[in-house]
């Protein structure tokens, strides 16, 4: 993925594909979300395809016409992580400890927080071992 900013419409289309039970054509997206125009959907799909975030899953008939059916190749979690990594690269002075601390500041689920801290400790131990 390139270092690129994504618009609200880009994220809307990604969200639609993430929530879909199967790949979707541009027409299916427009039919399901009439606030989107065909031109917008097609332009966003081209952009997301170029960025490598979606793929042409298969070619299907839409009426009597063959159409491309699109699916995401990245999960919402992977997308957020990639975006965060890109943002951190742009701001070289970000302290990783402060960043991780900020992620936990507003968490209210103690059990979830403790589980995530244990998982982080395991990952950090593995990283430390691989560096030695």
């Amino acid at each position: 993925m390139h270092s690129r900013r994504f618009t609200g419409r880009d994220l809307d289309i990604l969200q639609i594909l993430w929530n879909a039970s199967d790949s979707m054509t541009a027409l299916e997206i427009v039919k399901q979300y009439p606030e989107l125009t065909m031109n917008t959907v097609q332009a966003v799909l081209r952009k997301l395809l170029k960025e490598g975030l979606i793929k042409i899953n298969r070619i299907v008939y839409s009426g009597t016409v063959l159409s491309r059916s699109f699916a995401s190749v990245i999960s919402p979690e992977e997308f957020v992580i990639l975006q965060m990594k890109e943002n951190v690269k742009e701001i070289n002075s970000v302290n990783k400890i402060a960043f991780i601390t900020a992620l936990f500041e507003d968490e209210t689920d103690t059990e979830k927080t403790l589980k995530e801290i244990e998982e982080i400790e395991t990952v950090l131990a593995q990283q430390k071992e691989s560096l030695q």
Side-chain angles (χ1 to χ4, degrees), residues 7-14 16-17 25-27 29-30 33-49 54 68 70:
T7 67
R9 283 294 183 221
D10 298 341
L11 299 176
D12 290 343
I13 300 294
L14 276 173
I16 289 166
L17 293 174
T25 65
L27 182 60
I29 293 171
V30 171
Y33 299 91
E35 69 275 8
L36 299 171
T37 67
M38 181 60 84
N39 287 339
T40 298
V41 170
Q42 288 176 333
V44 170
L45 288 172
R46 277 192 303 272
K47 177 181 176 182
L48 297 175
L49 195 58
I54 65 171
R68 298 176 299 168
F70 299 91

Side-chain angles (χ1 to χ4, degrees), residues 29-75:
I29 293 171
V30 171
K31 281 184 178 178
Q32 191 170 346
Y33 299 91
E35 69 275 8
L36 299 171
T37 67
M38 181 60 84
N39 287 339
T40 298
V41 170
Q42 288 176 333
V44 170
L45 288 172
R46 277 192 303 272
K47 177 181 176 182
L48 297 175
L49 195 58
K50 182 179 176 184
E51 292 292 327
L53 297 174
I54 65 171
K55 67 178 180 177
I56 299 170
N57 195 42
R58 62 182 181 265
I59 306 296
V60 297
Y61 275 101
S62 179
T64 58
V65 178
L66 286 172
S67 298
R68 298 176 299 168
S69 183
F70 299 91
S72 176
V73 297
I74 188 170
S75 72

Side-chain angles (χ1 to χ4, degrees), residues 13 99 124 127:
I13 300 294
F99 182 72
L124 290 174
Q127 285 290 326

